[in-house]
Amino acid sequence: MIRKQEITTFEFPEDAIIWDVRDASAYAEAHLKGAKNQPITGLSADCLTQVTADQTIYLLCGGGSKAPRAAELLDGFDNSREYVILMGGTRAARDAGLPLEQGT
């Protein structure tokens, strides 16, 4: 199941699995604290083995165009999981004052 959530109103669960689907250089410039880099170009069914089946995977990108595509791709691999697109991406998080990190 795919759903959408505004990143600015989202309260992150303590053990949230957050995948930033931008390329490594964009991720290194600035990313949401706690997000793991999982570039959309490398997403596969194998990526899902890193996460237990009952955990929600939160997806974001820079501004909101890649995360929905990544959710559709992942849903095609396993549609029994829950995927949440964090709308507005890293730009909206930065504008809202959410903690961002630099580096890998």
Side-chain angles (χ1 to χ4, degrees), residues 27-90:
Y27 174 83
E29 284 179 26
H31 57 271
L32 191 65
K33 186 175 183 177
K36 180 180 178 186
N37 191 215
Q38 286 281 28
I40 192 170
T41 55
L43 290 179
S44 66
D46 283 345
C47 294
L48 294 174
T49 63
Q50 302 170 35
V51 181
T52 60
D54 63 338
Q55 287 184 292
T56 300
I57 299 174
Y58 299 93
L59 302 164
L60 80 156
C61 54
S65 62
K66 286 184 181 145
R69 288 190 320 218
E72 291 289 338
L73 185 63
L74 292 168
D75 195 55
F77 297 136
D78 184 351
N79 66 1
S80 68
R81 293 176 176 261
E82 182 174 21
Y83 307 99
V84 177
I85 301 164
L86 297 173
M87 301 301 292
T90 305

Side-chain angles (χ1 to χ4, degrees), residues 15 57 89 95 97 103-104:
D15 61 347
I57 299 174
D95 293 347
T104 55

